[in-house]
Amino acid sequence: MKRFIIKGPNKAIKGEVEISGAKNSCLPLMAASILFKNKVTLNNVPFVKDIFTMKDLLVSLGANVKYSEVNKKMTIINKQNHKLVVPYNLVSTMRAGVLTMGPLLSRYPKKEIKVALGGGCALGVRDTNWHLAGFKSLGAKNNLHKGYVNISSQKGLNGNNYKFPKVTVTGTSNLIMASIFAKGTHFIKNISIEPEVIDLINFLNNSGAKIKFLGKRSIKITGIKELINGSHTIIGDRIEAFSYLCVGAITNGKIKINNINPNHLRSEIMTLKKIGYTIDTNINSIKINSGKKLKPVNLKTGPFPNFATDNMPLVMAVLTKIPGKSEIEETIFSNRFMAAPELNRMGAKISIKKNKAIIIGQKKLISADCISSDLRTTFSIILGAITAEGSSTISRIYHGLRGYYNLEAKLKKIGVKIVSKN
Ligand code: EPU
């Protein structure tokens, strides 16, 4: 099992990073290919582990998938009807497998679809009850049998209305995909407006779907007959982008990141500015420059356009070095502070009380051997190791490789002293 060894402290890191396509945009777009009768072409695909798992899932359902990592391109061809069973082994390693529910139901509403439930995950309970309630509003019934949800609607799907009790990202994408061919019009309220959901809506509309915004978080979907071909270029990954901005922040260096829309990181940029960093943005790039007097901040995560929960462990690492007391409130997941004990092993002072973290900034961190437990925690620990004095070892980095493309090479390119070992 691969480990990273990072030698710190890396002072004032300078360089440029090319941001890859957004994993959390690519996964629902790949699932959406099920809606199409012929070919879907995706550009700017980030070939991380989760994308290969989703590819295997589509192949197991009967799709023909071709890809070129060099050209960042994937083509998904559906010449035959899909199999309607999504097996546990593919959903258990990647929760995004639940995203196949909506498109399978949409395309084969009168058949019985069996999708394995993914179960819990390191971030806490991750339910699909609102996905299923959304499908119910279209007329689909479901029952749970031996760990599989069976979904079908004998009379087909009919437009109606549904309001999500709380914002859910994959829930929104799933219900949008389920509604595309429903008879009449389906109204959905309190949807997620994360950039990745908007990317899915743009892709579907450009391919012939009829999804219209009625308000900030309300949409109307008018059922169409079929989708045949589609093509889309995936947006840049705002979480990967923020991760590398944090490398600049924690070393008080100078980093420019390319291929990212700064509007997707408005809250995060505001937070970095509040701490005291200088940030310059362009249409498709962001630059961070060292700040002279850095101050602690208080922040709270929330659905977009608020500070993203995925970016929280990253800023938490940065705040371990900012003099004074910072506070973070996490509002999305029950168990999102797994990086805290690892950073504390490097000498950080983070205390967790329920959904709040209090961070007392330290002058220096000292290297330690750490274990990663989820995707964003991996990068948070990497940030600590970059600034800590001495050699830190990070185990279980496969968590990080699920979502960061060319992680080691990108860090090396900007001067981080990192090697991987088995
Ligand atoms: N929730 C329910 N019932 C539901 C759906 C959600 O109770 O039916 C709860 C969840 O338990 C959670 C909250 O609602 O407490 C929000 O969950 P959401 O459904 O928005 O999360 P998700 O769609 O499963 C996506 C990303 C996550 C990201 C979250 C929050 C993908 C594939 N995953 O998950 O990304 O943290 O939104 O923004 O898009 C990652 O990339 O590392 C990652 C975990």
Side-chain angles (χ1 to χ4, degrees):
M1 225 180 273
K2 261 193 174 176
R3 293 166 296 150
F4 278 154
I5 297 162
I6 297 180
K7 195 158 177 267
N10 287 256
K11 288 197 176 130
I13 284 189
K14 296 192 177 90
E16 253 178 77
V17 185
E18 303 303 314
I19 297 305
S20 300
K23 164 188 82 82
N24 288 349
S25 202
C26 191
L27 291 169
L29 288 166
M30 289 172 74
S33 71
I34 294 169
L35 298 166
F36 289 75
K37 286 196 168 152
N38 190 31
K39 187 163 103 178
V40 167
T41 307
L42 299 175
N43 299 303
N44 201 26
V45 173
F47 283 96
V48 293
K49 184 77 180 35
D50 274 8
I51 300 300
F52 285 108
T53 310
M54 186 59 110
K55 177 206 70 113
D56 291 345
L57 206 168
L58 292 177
V59 169
S60 85
L61 296 179
N64 178 2
V65 183
K66 293 182 181 139
Y67 63 90
S68 157
E69 197 170 329
V70 179
N71 297 322
K72 304 179 197 167
K73 197 179 177 109
M74 181 178 282
T75 309
I76 305 158
I77 302 165
N78 298 320
K79 285 275 186 236
Q80 56 195 30
N81 284 342
H82 292 88
K83 283 184 200 142
L84 302 177
V85 182
V86 178
Y88 181 61
N89 62 330
L90 292 170
V91 178
S92 60
T93 54
M94 179 199 58
R95 186 186 144 86
V98 299
L99 280 162
T100 52
M101 276 185 197
L104 283 174
L105 175 66
S106 197
R107 236 189 113 187
Y108 309 98
K110 294 186 183 173
K111 302 251 169 80
E112 187 167 82
I113 293 144
K114 284 166 78 82
V115 180
L117 272 190
C121 88
L123 306 180
V125 178
R126 289 178 84 178
D127 229 326
T128 40
N129 52 336
W130 304 329
H131 302 227
L132 296 173
F135 300 154
K136 207 169 176 185
S137 70
L138 289 164
K141 288 191 180 141
N142 68 77
N143 63 67
L144 185 68
H145 184 62
K146 293 190 173 174
Y148 281 74
V149 197
N150 303 316
I151 317 169
S152 69
S153 72
Q154 278 171 356
K155 292 185 186 149
L157 301 174
N158 289 291
N160 192 340
N161 57 68
Y162 182 73
K163 183 175 176 186
F164 283 105
K166 260 179 75 180
V167 172
T168 156
V169 179
T170 47
T172 300
S173 299
N174 235 345
L175 187 53
I176 288 175
M177 293 190 279
S179 314
I180 289 294
F181 306 130
K183 255 192 221 138
T185 313
H186 196 53
F187 294 88
I188 314 175
K189 286 190 177 156
N190 199 26
I191 65 158
S192 140
I193 50 167
E194 310 329 90
E196 296 77 19
V197 173
I198 304 298
D199 210 27
L200 174 70
I201 293 177
N202 288 340
F203 164 60
L204 291 171
N205 276 344
N206 291 338
S207 310
K210 290 196 173 141
I211 308 164
K212 202 174 159 208
F213 269 89
L214 301 177
K216 198 174 156 206
R217 290 193 183 273
S218 304
I219 48 172
K220 166 178 131 176
I221 303 179
T222 309
I224 56 159
K225 280 233 158 65
E226 59 183 7
L227 290 169
I228 313 274
N229 293 310
S231 167
H232 192 73
T233 299
I234 293 159
I235 55 168
D237 191 318
R238 64 194 163 111
I239 316 297
E240 188 197 22
F242 188 69
S243 306
Y244 287 100
L245 282 178
C246 287
V247 174
I250 204 162
T251 62
N252 219 355
K254 241 187 209 181
I255 297 272
K256 183 176 179 224
I257 50 170
N258 299 317
N259 303 332
I260 185 70
N261 180 345
N263 289 329
H264 296 167
L265 283 167
R266 269 183 303 212
S267 289
E268 286 81 352
I269 289 175
M270 225 159 65
T271 301
L272 291 176
K273 281 184 175 169
K274 264 194 205 158
I275 298 175
Y277 299 104
T278 308
I279 309 282
D280 294 310
T281 59
N282 221 310
I283 294 176
N284 214 21
S285 66
I286 308 175
K287 249 195 259 175
I288 180 165
N289 238 311
S290 52
K292 286 208 176 76
K293 211 168 170 242
L294 302 178
K295 296 189 302 284
V297 284
N298 293 345
L299 67 101
K300 187 174 168 177
T301 62
F304 190 83
N306 297 302
F307 198 104
T309 173
D310 286 340
N311 280 330
M312 184 278 287
L314 311 166
V315 81
M316 181 166 76
V318 172
L319 292 173
T320 63
K321 291 291 297 287
I322 306 295
K325 177 178 154 191
S326 296
E327 262 187 57
I328 296 177
E329 187 179 343
E330 165 62 30
T331 71
I332 309 286
F333 289 114
S334 55
N335 191 21
R336 192 109 226 204
F337 292 123
M338 275 97 71
E342 301 302 317
L343 292 167
N344 283 350
R345 302 187 63 251
M346 297 182 188
K349 290 263 178 304
I350 308 170
S351 51
I352 309 293
K353 283 200 183 84
K354 291 189 181 156
N355 68 332
K356 285 195 181 140
I358 294 163
I359 304 137
I360 311 289
Q362 302 297 302
K363 275 221 168 77
K364 65 175 184 185
L365 301 187
I366 294 169
S367 63
D369 293 340
C370 300
I371 298 179
S372 167
S373 50
D374 76 73
L375 174 52
R376 309 301 168 192
T377 293
T378 311
F379 209 103
S380 178
I381 301 172
I382 288 175
L383 287 168
I386 286 175
T387 186
E389 280 178 17
S391 233
S392 301
T393 303
I394 308 169
S395 316
R396 301 198 189 157
I397 54 162
Y398 57 84
H399 287 293
L401 305 179
R402 278 186 44 219
Y404 285 99
Y405 184 65
N406 264 355
L407 180 55
E408 188 181 341
K410 286 190 187 187
L411 287 167
K412 261 197 186 123
K413 187 177 163 254
I414 52 175
V416 174
K417 292 172 206 118
I418 178 170
V419 288
S420 57
K421 282 205 175 144
N422 280 318

